[in-house]
Amino acid sequence: MPAFDLPRRLVAEALGTCLLVTTVVGSGIMADRLTDDTALALLGNTLATGAILVVLITIFGPISGAHFNPAVSLVFALKRDMARRDLGFYVAAQVVGGIAGTIAAHLMFDLPVIEASVTLRTGGSQWFSEWIATFGLVAVILAGIRFDQKAIPWLVGLYITAAYWFTASTSFANPAVALARSLTNTFSGIRPLDLPGFVIAELLGALCALILMNWLLRQPSTNI
């Protein structure tokens, strides 16, 4: 964990998550207004999200670790790479930051400050997609830390860019972002009723990735 005190780390997590959600929601609104082509709108949403992740992880990583994601923070707490007593504070900062990001996007586009989504996102395929999306995200982060830590911003940004398109759920992969997206009735929204299924799938995906990658990345002992 970087050598910054907890208040600074929490501000970095809140601000980073805020800017991430502002980008996800705002680019979705902009894309939806500019085109009636859903595929083109999703492409615009995808590119903006992937790009901002590279930026945010690069500038906030040295301060807080740039989790911006309760599932990622949980994994690092379980690995003891961050103090477990800090986990609740990180999650709270991420949730507050995510909600602020939705509000910021709405204010920029002259929409109601908060508006519950009516976009249906439920069912086994959606939940499995979120399991896959979060499993892959955590696997990428853990392997990246092991082999090329400087590449983490690009690895995460490129992975999410790809996962927007290869998952049926468009890869939320983040409980705080999913909660924030339930508060926008726009292109990137999700019904609040569908939120628990997503969050459970995301947490399970993160835990499964932690278990597998702990085994996969463990260097076997050699007898000489």
Side-chain angles (χ1 to χ4, degrees):
M1 180 59 62
F4 285 80
D5 61 21
L6 182 60
R8 287 177 173 80
R9 285 185 275 136
L10 295 180
V11 169
E13 284 296 301
L15 181 56
T17 311
C18 175
L19 292 172
L20 173 58
V21 172
T22 301
T23 302
V24 172
V25 175
S27 65
I29 296 169
M30 178 65 82
D32 197 37
R33 289 185 177 183
L34 291 177
T35 181
D36 293 326
D37 186 329
T38 304
L40 187 57
L42 180 62
L43 180 60
N45 194 208
T46 302
L47 294 176
T49 302
I52 201 63
L53 279 168
V54 175
V55 173
L56 295 176
I57 295 171
T58 298
I59 63 174
F60 290 122
I63 301 173
S64 68
H67 302 177
F68 314 140
N69 186 333
V72 173
S73 295
L74 174 63
V75 165
F76 279 105
L78 292 175
K79 283 175 59 64
R80 299 187 184 277
D81 288 338
M82 67 175 285
R84 293 186 179 183
R85 64 178 180 275
D86 293 345
L87 176 60
F89 294 111
Y90 262 58
V91 172
Q94 292 155 0
V95 168
V96 170
I99 293 171
T102 294
I103 293 172
H106 282 190
L107 291 176
M108 286 193 293
F109 287 93
D110 197 24
L111 295 172
V113 174
I114 293 291
E115 190 174 23
S117 176
V118 297
T119 302
L120 179 68
R121 298 181 191 266
T122 190
S125 63
Q126 293 283 305
W127 300 329
F128 182 58
S129 292
E130 281 305 291
W131 186 93
I132 289 287
T134 315
F135 178 93
L137 174 63
V138 171
V140 164
I141 291 170
L142 296 179
I145 290 171
R146 176 72 167 76
F147 297 118
D148 193 354
Q149 191 162 356
K150 291 183 179 179
I152 290 290
W154 286 99
L155 293 174
V156 172
L158 290 172
Y159 173 79
I160 291 297
T161 298
Y164 256 70
W165 287 86
F166 74 71
T167 63
S169 61
T170 67
S171 184
F172 285 40
N174 184 328
V177 170
L179 173 60
R181 289 172 66 168
S182 74
L183 303 176
T184 179
N185 191 28
T186 60
F187 182 80
S188 60
I190 174 176
R191 285 193 315 173
L193 184 64
D194 301 334
L195 188 60
F198 268 55
V199 171
I200 292 169
E202 289 157 1
L203 294 176
L204 288 175
L207 293 174
C208 290
L210 172 62
I211 292 169
L212 176 64
M213 298 307 287
N214 273 348
W215 171 79
L216 186 62
L217 299 174
R218 186 183 303 128
Q219 252 182 330
S221 58
T222 56
N223 295 320
I224 300 176

